[in-house]
Amino acid sequence: MQGYTFVKGEHYPVEHLVFETAPEFVEEFLEVDHEVWTLGEAESDLFDHIPFLYKEVWINENKPGEMHFIFIWESMESWKKVDDKDIQAALIARFESKFKHPYKLTRCIQNEENFGLHRYSRFERI
C-alpha cells in the first residue's frame, strides 16, 4: 500500500504507565513530564544515544485527568539501566519540585504483565 509501511517481527519492550491528576492540571503535568522525564531519560549520561525509540502520550477524554504514557524501548537492558532506583528517585524529586499538584500513578501495565509486553509489528503512514 503506497504511503504506508508495515514492519513485523520486532521485539521491543513496551512501558505503559497511567497517571491521573485533576483535569485543570493535565497540561502542566505534561509540560513538566516532558521536561523532566522525557528529556531526563533521553539525555541521560548513561548512553551516547536516546535509549527509547519513542514515547507517546495518550489522553483519555472519557476520564478527564487520565494520561497514558507509552514508551518503546530499544532493549530491556537499556530500560533497566534507566530504571535504576537512584536515577528514578532523582527524577521523581525533580518532577515533584516542579509539579506542585496532587497526582498518582494508577497503573503500571508492564508490571501487571511481568514485562511481557513487546511491540511485534507496526503499520503506519509515512
Side-chain angles (χ1 to χ4, degrees):
M1 183 175 282
Q2 205 169 30
Y4 289 85
T5 62
F6 177 65
V7 178
K8 67 178 186 174
E10 297 179 327
H11 195 267
Y12 294 112
V14 176
E15 179 179 11
H16 184 170
L17 304 170
V18 182
F19 287 92
E20 290 179 1
T21 193
E24 62 269 24
F25 301 133
V26 166
E27 189 63 36
E28 182 181 351
F29 185 99
L30 296 175
E31 288 172 9
V32 175
D33 170 79
H34 181 72
E35 176 188 339
V36 173
W37 288 101
T38 306
L39 298 179
E41 290 182 340
E43 297 172 347
S44 168
D45 292 336
L46 298 172
F47 300 94
D48 62 355
H49 63 285
I50 298 172
F52 51 87
L53 302 179
Y54 69 82
K55 175 184 180 181
E56 291 185 354
V57 177
W58 304 345
I59 302 297
N60 186 347
E61 292 180 351
N62 292 321
K63 294 181 181 175
E66 183 179 280
M67 303 159 287
H68 293 247
F69 295 82
I70 313 297
F71 284 85
I72 304 299
W73 289 91
E74 68 182 4
S75 68
M76 280 303 296
E77 295 76 24
S78 293
W79 183 3
K80 287 182 185 226
K81 192 182 279 191
V82 171
D83 199 36
D84 174 82
K85 68 179 180 175
D86 294 331
I87 294 169
Q88 294 298 306
L91 289 170
I92 290 168
R94 186 168 168 223
F95 179 85
E96 291 180 348
S97 76
K98 294 177 175 286
F99 186 77
K100 303 288 189 180
H101 311 288
Y103 74 95
K104 64 181 176 176
L105 173 63
T106 60
R107 292 186 70 192
C108 191
I109 295 171
Q110 67 276 2
N111 290 0
E112 295 172 18
E113 300 300 329
N114 196 25
F115 294 87
L117 293 176
H118 290 81
R119 183 174 81 188
Y120 172 78
S121 67
R122 62 191 157 89
F123 177 78
E124 61 190 355
R125 184 172 55 192
I126 52 175

